[in-house]
Every structure is written in structure tokens, then in C-alpha cells.
Amino acid sequence: MTTIGLIGAGNIGSTVARLAVDVGHDVVLSNSRGPETLADLVTELGPRARAATAAEAAAAGDLVVVTVPLKAYREVPVEPLAGKVVIDTNNYYPERDGRIAELDDESTTTSELLQAHLPTSHIVKGFNNIYFEHLRSLARPAGDPERSVLAIAGDDDGAKQTVTAFLDSIGYDAHDVGPLAEGWRFQRDTTAYTGAYVDDGDFAHPHAATHESLTPLLAQAQRYRDMDDETA
């Protein structure tokens, strides 16, 4: 099995960690407050989990998940992630992250920002368009008719294959949306953002998303500027 490094241990990070240890992966967790603040989570996860600094989690991971608020992406350690596959879960929330000009004018995407910060890493966008409770509850073994897909995007085919294998191990199929530049199609407020797994905002009753159901949602995605034009 694989060691998963997690930079960030909030709702998505801790859920990925739970799914990972359930199937036999080791996890190394970190957050901005220090390893000691993760003691309860590590105890809950059991002997396959330990807490560390962000740099230590980055160094330990065969595969690393960056799941920090976007405003903190420049704090992600660069050198320990050199050459590694990194899953980026980021979304842009201006009220939390402050205004980022290149995201406001849509000249780039959140994962491309992280890729620029980690130039020798292989970034794959994922886990950003599903509610954490649904991520936990919708996992299914391979072959289950209720198995869901998760959207991914990335510029490196080998990295996407690595992430696809990890997703398979924790109960999901991967739906390849294309390069990082196409990651906007499942960013915040698009039709594929959380809505792929719920109907009419009914978060209490999530359902599987399939390749067939996700494809048209991605095709319907609108840029933020086009959304703004419709509501103006």
C-alpha cells in the first residue's frame, strides 16, 4: 500500500485520511497549527496514522493531498514535493481568500496557481467538487452498481494514472476532465460542483455520479463572468 501525506486536515483532508486507512494505506497528517493539535484525529484513525509538520508530511507521502484554504497555497512546502504527485482540492472563495486578480479575470485556475508554486511537482485537481460527508458515504468497492466517479484534471498522464489508482483503492472511479486548465469546469458554483451528487440541493440524500451523468454537467459549466452577466 501507499503512504498518503496530507497538508491540511480539515473536513476533506480528514475524510480522505479515513478512507485511506480503511483500505490499508498509511497517512501522515499535518495542519497549520502543529502536530500536537491532531492527536485526537490520529487516535481515531489508529496505528496507520501519525501527525507531522507540513514539510514532514510532504516528504513522507508517496502521494500528497494539499487541502488548505487557497489563500495559504504559497505556504505549501516546495522542496519536499519535488517530483511528487500532488492532489489539489482547492476552491476559490473570495470572502475567505481575498481577491486574487488572475482568478477574478479567469486567466488561470486554482490548480494552475498551485502548479506554478510547485513547478517540479505533478498537480492533479480532485476532491474539490464533493461535500466531505458525501465523499465518506458514497465510497463503494469496484464493480458496485452504486459506485461514483470523481472528476480529476491534470497535465501529466502518469500523475493522473497514479491518482486514478488511489481513487480506485478508496472506492471511486476517476473521470478525467482533461488538463489543469479545464479544472474550472468543476470549480465552485458550476453545475458539477456538489450538484453532481445531489438533486435540488438535497444534501441529506446524496447519490452516485456516473460518467454519463457527470459529462453533461461539465459541458454546461459557465465561467464566472458569464454567470455574472446572467444575474446582472
Side-chain angles (χ1 to χ4, degrees):
M1 288 295 180
T2 302
T3 296
I4 309 301
L6 291 119
I7 300 176
N11 289 333
I12 287 291
S14 60
T15 300
V16 172
R18 289 184 178 95
L19 291 171
V21 298
D22 283 351
V23 296
H25 296 298
D26 294 325
V27 298
V28 182
L29 298 137
S30 67
N31 64 13
S32 61
R33 294 176 295 143
E36 65 280 358
T37 66
L38 294 168
D40 289 346
L41 178 58
V42 167
T43 298
E44 176 193 337
L45 292 172
R48 290 195 175 275
R50 66 181 176 90
T53 66
E56 290 166 343
D62 301 306
L63 173 68
V64 178
V65 182
V66 170
T67 180
V68 298
L70 181 62
K71 63 183 178 182
Y73 82 91
R74 291 184 183 88
E75 298 171 20
V76 174
V78 177
E79 292 303 322
L81 292 172
K84 295 195 175 187
V85 176
V86 176
I87 302 176
D88 171 40
T89 78
N90 273 322
N91 287 299
Y92 175 39
Y93 299 100
E95 65 275 15
R96 178 197 66 187
D97 302 315
R99 286 290 175 181
I100 300 174
E102 55 265 56
L103 296 180
D104 287 338
D105 67 20
E106 297 185 273
S107 59
T108 192
T109 63
T110 55
S111 292
E112 288 175 293
L113 282 182
L114 185 63
Q115 181 67 83
H117 175 66
L118 301 172
T120 61
S121 302
H122 307 291
I123 307 300
V124 177
K125 185 179 185 70
F127 294 126
N128 71 292
N129 72 321
I130 185 169
Y131 185 48
F132 75 97
E133 291 183 354
H134 300 166
L135 178 63
R136 179 64 170 160
S137 65
L138 289 174
R140 299 288 188 277
D144 191 300
E146 294 299 315
R147 184 158 156 124
S148 278
V149 299
L150 290 173
I152 63 170
D155 295 336
D156 184 281
D157 287 340
K160 287 193 284 191
Q161 290 171 10
T162 296
V163 172
T164 296
F166 174 61
L167 295 182
D168 178 51
S169 75
I170 64 170
Y172 288 90
D173 291 334
H175 184 97
D176 189 350
V177 180
L180 284 182
E182 286 292 285
W184 71 271
R185 291 188 176 276
F186 53 107
Q187 66 187 2
R188 169 186 54 83
D189 292 342
T190 57
T191 47
Y193 178 77
T194 68
Y197 306 94
V198 299
D199 293 323
D200 301 321
D202 183 7
F203 272 63
H205 300 95
H207 58 73
T210 64
H211 294 291
E212 293 75 18
S213 67
L214 187 57
T215 296
L217 295 179
L218 293 164
Q220 295 163 22
Q222 289 183 297
R223 296 283 191 177
Y224 290 138
R225 57 180 173 269
D226 297 325
M227 295 182 196
D228 292 341
D229 288 344
E230 287 191 358
T231 58

